[in-house]
Amino acid sequence: MSALTVAVLLSLVSAVAYAGGAILQERVAVTTPERRYAPLRRGMWWVAIALNSLGALLHVVALAYGPLSVVQPLGALTIVFALPMAAVFVRRKAGATAWRGAIMATVGLAGLLSLTQAADAQSLDNAERVVVALATGGAVLALMVLAHAVHRHPVVRSVLLAGAAGVAFGIASVFTKTVAVDWSENEPLTQQLPSLGVIAVLAGAGVLISQASYRGAGLAAPLSTVTVVNPVVAAAVGLTLFGESFRYGTAGMAVALGFGVVAAGGLILLTTERIATEGQPAPGASVPVAKGGPVPAEPEPVVDAGDVRAHELPAVPAQPTPGPHRRVLFRHTRHHRERIGS
């Protein structure tokens, strides 16, 4: 079995593990909305962390066997696996618009990254690592601040947070590839400790931020955003710093741009589909109120026309009937008033 085949198989299993972890994270976000980042007391969340860790481990091994431009596009299959898995395991069915958006995002991303060609394996030098780490930290913080600013729009907030998580995951993959290349060149482990620390911080931040992105936005939109942003960011670094380029020159760049438009259109479909269904609670769902917490929505009472009965009204005290009106005449004198008729 060739190294490329091993990388493909590991990437597929990694995508399935990531999809399972995302489904569980979304369920935790629905059932514990008050805990945005780390619901530590939920066993389901720890299972999701274990699945994400397994996916990350398989992804690291795949990067050791295959180039970044091959392993990263296969990660886009996460959203393709997640939608049917969610329908089977948690009975959460995606609408037709979500399916179209997911397929468009996956096809666009896979086409975009399949046009990149890898150069000889190389890693980042120390100065490049510092610049990339600082730029990543600034981008993640900026997206989180924007997400907080638009907290009244749950879907927009979710997409921004998912974008921040995707940036963190993508750069973590870049540092992972760098460590793998240096490891293969027998670099001392002590020189890899700063990069390993960056990987741990970015991966942990990505998990926590992605957990917050599922609150109030469903599964498809945030997961698709992470799935697209992650490899796009990693590929951008590969194109600029690792010597990778597009195949077929100018024509390949134009086709890659078209695939990028398709992927962006898929994300827009996923976001608009969620916005369209936002604020339409299902029968029996909880409806938020200004004070006092959620109140269960009660269905409108159905009255059978054949079962309508007259209800006796409470008795009203009888009122005295006024007698006939009589006109009384008076004659006023200087000292008294004298009645003269009626």
Side-chain angles (χ1 to χ4, degrees):
M1 185 179 295
S2 65
L4 182 61
T5 303
V6 173
V8 170
L9 292 177
L10 290 174
S11 298
L12 292 176
V13 179
S14 173
V16 173
Y18 277 132
I23 293 170
L24 293 181
Q25 282 186 281
E26 192 269 341
R27 297 308 304 164
V28 171
V30 170
T31 54
T32 56
E34 72 281 357
R35 297 184 179 275
R36 301 181 181 181
Y37 294 98
L40 300 178
R41 297 183 180 180
R42 294 298 304 276
M44 186 185 300
W45 187 73
W46 288 106
V47 175
I49 296 300
L51 287 173
N52 284 322
S53 300
L54 175 61
L57 177 62
L58 295 174
H59 183 74
V60 169
V61 179
L63 285 174
Y65 280 95
L68 191 67
S69 57
V70 172
V71 174
Q72 290 296 120
L74 293 175
L77 295 175
T78 299
I79 183 62
V80 177
F81 293 146
L83 292 182
M85 288 171 63
V88 171
F89 295 110
V90 297
R91 301 295 188 270
R92 176 178 288 275
K93 295 182 179 179
T97 303
W99 271 107
R100 287 195 296 269
I103 293 174
M104 285 179 61
T106 303
V107 171
L109 176 63
L112 174 65
L113 297 181
S114 65
L115 290 173
T116 60
Q117 58 183 0
D120 295 335
Q122 55 183 301
S123 63
L124 303 176
D125 59 35
N126 293 333
E128 290 174 336
R129 297 184 196 194
V130 173
V131 172
V132 171
L134 293 177
T136 303
V140 170
L141 288 177
L143 289 172
M144 292 182 68
V145 170
L146 286 175
H148 180 73
V150 297
H151 65 278
R152 294 184 178 180
H153 305 280
V155 178
V156 179
R157 178 195 60 82
S158 170
V159 169
L160 289 172
L161 287 176
V167 171
F169 285 137
I171 301 302
S173 296
V174 170
F175 275 88
T176 300
K177 182 64 177 178
T178 296
V179 171
V181 171
D182 290 345
W183 182 273
S184 64
E185 295 178 356
N186 298 321
E187 291 285 342
L189 181 60
T190 54
Q191 295 185 4
Q192 305 301 322
L193 291 179
S195 296
L196 292 174
V198 172
I199 293 171
V201 171
L202 291 178
V207 170
L208 296 179
I209 298 171
S210 64
Q211 176 64 57
S213 71
Y214 290 113
R215 187 172 60 90
L219 176 67
L223 180 57
S224 296
T225 303
V226 172
T227 304
V228 170
V229 172
N230 176 358
V232 165
V233 168
V237 175
L239 291 170
T240 55
L241 298 179
F242 285 166
E244 298 179 355
S245 60
F246 287 112
R247 294 185 175 94
Y248 314 118
T250 305
M253 185 176 298
V255 175
L257 180 61
F259 278 120
V261 172
V262 172
L267 284 180
I268 292 173
L269 280 180
L270 286 164
T271 304
T272 55
E273 188 269 346
R274 184 64 191 180
I275 292 176
T277 58
E278 190 182 59
Q280 299 178 5
S286 296
V287 179
V289 294
K291 294 183 179 180
V295 177
E298 298 181 0
E300 293 292 334
V302 179
V303 180
D304 187 358
D307 192 39
V308 177
R309 297 182 179 88
H311 296 279
E312 184 179 358
L313 297 176
V316 179
Q319 301 295 327
T321 304
H325 180 69
R326 295 184 302 174
R327 185 178 181 182
V328 181
L329 301 178
F330 294 89
R331 182 174 60 188
H332 295 269
T333 65
R334 184 176 181 181
H335 299 287
H336 66 277
R337 185 178 66 171
E338 178 182 358
R339 181 173 179 177
I340 60 175
S342 62

